[in-house]
Amino acid sequence: MTDSTKDVKKMTQSVGGAMEGEFDLTPSHTEQRETIFMMPPSRVIPIIFLPGVMGSNLRMSRARTAKVGDQNDIAWRPDTLGATTLFTNVKTASFLTPEERQLKLDPDETEVDYYRFTENQGSFDPIGDQTQTSDNRHSNVPDSLRNVGMLTTDRAAWGADSAKKKAGAATAAQKARWRGWSEIGFNDYRDALEILEARLYHITDPYYAQISHNPLHEVWVSGKDFGKSVTGVNLAKWGAPAGKALEETEVLRIANCLYPVHAMGYNWLQSNAVSARKTAARIRALIKSYQDHGQKCDKVILVTHSMGGILARAIIHPEMGGLNDAVLGIYHSVQPVHGAGAAYKRVRSGVTGHSPAALVIGNTGQDVTAVFANAPGPLELLPTSAYGQGWLKVVDQNDRVLAQWPSSTKDVGGQLGTSDAAQTDGLSLKDIYLQGDGKWWRLFNPDWINPAGKKFKKSSAWEMVKKRVFNAQHFHDKIKDTFHENTYASYGTDAADNNLTHGNVVYKVDSLSSDFDDIASSISPGRGAPSTWKIINEDGKGDLIVMSAEKRKFKLKLLSPKDPGDGTVPADYSAAKVKAKIHFKQTGYDHQGSYHNDFVLASMLYSVVKIANTAEGWKK
């Protein structure tokens, strides 16, 4: 939290007889709250869901909203992508210029779009009419949300005559919003949130027990097929090469406990080190609020998606979140443990396709660079030193590798060999990311990094970019061995065309025009190493024009991905590197949609139960 929150009064209210939590967040008015509904039993293990990059809703500061001339302060809200109200009432995201993207997605001028809260009342505006805050704004969790788990609509919360509603009564949707569900992309994560809330609340069922003499709710009974059944299932069904099936006794053992599901958004534009400190403080406040209301609560379980897994590791790191003592275990889905080649690819040629990310982050390198170059969080998705060497390659027309970076060997004239054309150090930071103007394999085009003309004290835009990239790699060096001892992980290993992934990023030599076909002689040994080629032009969509030392021009074309993965995170280069008790190696889903997959949801439930079983104090 920011320093301004230190003097903020903690608010605790009672709504419809339910107790609410206390959080060090700046109040916008006296009705704000993050509610915790309490009932027997007295033990509580909260489930905290951490979304991936671009999975948290963001709003702009008052000053930035005024500067860009928008009618509202929405910076990023994926559930409304495609609507004419995205960003402004007249522009759709696909028409934003790089300058506008940089201004709207500025880590220094954005915060999580909390439900009736703000981190900084002086800069951000959580109040106003319904287009800016409250229930209409957070209707990504729809008013029609069905009762699920502890999230149930109070009888006095609905009716034609709102004046007759009981004061403080709330709907299931409002209670979910208080739990943070509307802070994140609800469409992407709804399945995970609802199945965790429902299944873990209904572990036992006295009515079913009278019939079957089994105290478990029938969805937990072995042999029952209710979709995503998890007891008695061979783990090979979900992609685990080894591991014991979940037993009914393990489920029953943890039944005398509540597992309220919370979502916690974070500003994914900022460094995960910064987000870790904020989120860890928020989790500690949540635990304390349960304790203050007489509940036994000392640990949480983290469930993550994509970059949320990197955040979770920072949360338990002693120099960042320092929360390892309060985390019982973690389940990760599709975590880019050591980064992903797709991050480099997107900076150079944009986000492929017509996805929400492509609309807002951009279909061209110019668009993506305007955001990535100025945002520490996305830079922490770049391949790290642990990702390996040689993942960025250039090949000839016969797919022979001419050069590759990072590399501990010397770049050579026309092919891999012994020339001393350019010395490398084997690290992406120096070999690729810090390469400047004229180096065709560089990460950033200096002309694209600051289209908004942002000013920096005692530094240039390029120097600030280099500092951010250095800090991103340093961040990963710190957490590379940080994994919770009770970790479970799932990831995509799909080799199907639609989910092939950039484990390697490969450029291929191509002719510049139909009348020039003497490429082989221009790149033959002795004609100049690939590192000596000068970049003449790049279109921001994957095509470069370079010139050899002999002044011969030709094209370098970025090839389509070829490695197994989920379309974003490569399996072998990154996702498989989680240090976990069990890995679930799966197929059939893309990166963003992993939590819509039944096998992911089942392995998530299995893992959460296994983690909960490690808590102390269960009755035998």
Side-chain angles (χ1 to χ4, degrees), residues 168-327:
T171 65
Q174 289 172 320
K175 294 174 183 179
R177 293 165 194 156
W178 298 339
R179 292 261 201 93
W181 288 22
S182 63
E183 295 175 15
I184 68 176
F186 189 62
N187 289 339
D188 286 328
Y189 302 124
R190 179 174 187 167
D191 291 348
L193 296 172
E194 289 190 343
I195 196 171
L196 283 168
E197 179 71 24
R199 292 287 181 92
L200 294 172
Y201 180 66
H202 295 292
I203 291 181
T204 59
D205 184 353
Y207 301 104
Y208 181 74
Q210 293 178 10
I211 301 172
S212 65
H213 305 291
N214 187 333
L216 287 175
H217 190 286
E218 58 185 340
V219 297
W220 291 103
V221 175
S222 299
K224 294 283 186 178
D225 186 12
F226 284 91
K228 295 168 281 295
S229 295
V230 295
T231 52
V233 178
N234 188 326
L235 300 196
K237 179 180 179 180
W238 309 325
K244 295 179 62 176
L246 188 67
E247 298 178 4
E248 290 184 8
T249 54
E250 294 178 276
V251 181
L252 188 60
R253 183 170 184 250
I254 66 167
N256 191 32
C257 181
L258 291 175
Y259 302 90
V261 179
H262 295 257
M264 291 192 178
Y266 58 96
N267 190 341
W268 45 270
L269 295 168
Q270 296 176 343
S271 170
N272 282 289
V274 173
S275 296
R277 289 190 287 272
K278 292 182 178 181
T279 308
R282 193 175 179 189
I283 293 173
R284 287 199 185 277
L286 177 66
I287 292 173
K288 185 176 185 300
S289 68
Y290 281 113
Q291 295 172 342
D292 288 347
H293 289 102
Q295 308 301 314
K296 181 182 178 182
C297 179
D298 52 14
K299 293 180 183 289
V300 302
I301 296 173
L302 304 182
V303 176
T304 79
H305 178 249
S306 189
M307 193 168 84
I310 295 175
L311 171 61
R313 291 162 58 209
I315 285 173
I316 65 174
H317 192 281
E319 297 178 20
M320 298 177 198
L323 201 70
N324 193 65
D325 63 310
V327 174

Side-chain angles (χ1 to χ4, degrees), residues 419-545:
S419 172
D420 60 353
Q423 181 67 56
T424 58
D425 70 354
L427 296 177
S428 297
L429 180 64
K430 180 179 178 181
D431 290 359
I432 303 171
Y433 305 149
L434 298 183
Q435 295 293 327
D437 197 21
K439 306 298 184 182
W440 66 265
W441 68 95
R442 67 197 177 191
L443 173 62
F444 291 116
N445 183 328
D447 295 334
W448 299 350
I449 62 174
N450 192 24
K454 187 174 181 179
K455 302 299 182 182
F456 303 95
K457 293 181 179 179
K458 300 180 181 180
S459 186
S460 66
W462 175 238
E463 289 302 317
M464 290 299 297
V465 170
K466 291 195 292 184
K467 181 179 179 179
R468 292 186 195 104
V469 176
F470 174 86
N471 289 341
Q473 294 292 296
H474 182 61
F475 163 81
H476 270 284
D477 287 342
K478 279 193 169 185
I479 70 164
K480 66 180 179 180
D481 296 319
T482 302
F483 297 92
H484 197 280
E485 62 178 353
N486 289 324
T487 291
Y488 295 77
S490 65
Y491 60 92
T493 62
D494 215 328
D497 289 343
N498 58 330
N499 285 329
L500 287 173
T501 308
H502 281 292
N504 293 292
V505 180
V506 182
Y507 283 93
K508 189 169 186 175
V509 173
D510 195 7
S511 62
L512 187 57
S513 62
S514 58
D515 61 356
F516 176 59
D517 56 7
D518 191 23
I519 297 176
S521 64
S522 298
I523 62 175
S524 61
R527 295 296 183 98
S531 63
T532 65
W533 301 344
K534 300 295 183 183
I535 186 168
I536 304 301
N537 183 59
E538 61 180 320
D539 64 0
K541 297 181 180 180
D543 286 350
L544 312 178
I545 297 176

Side-chain angles (χ1 to χ4, degrees), residues 340-353 362-365 368-369 372 382-383 391-392 443 502 504-507 540-542 558-561 567:
Y344 171 93
K345 179 268 175 193
R346 290 172 178 176
V347 172
R348 296 302 300 270
S349 64
V351 182
T352 303
N363 289 124
T364 69
V368 174
T369 298
F372 270 51
L382 289 167
W391 57 264
L392 177 59
L443 173 62
H502 281 292
N504 293 292
V505 180
V506 182
Y507 283 93
K541 297 181 180 180
L558 183 63
L559 297 184
S560 299

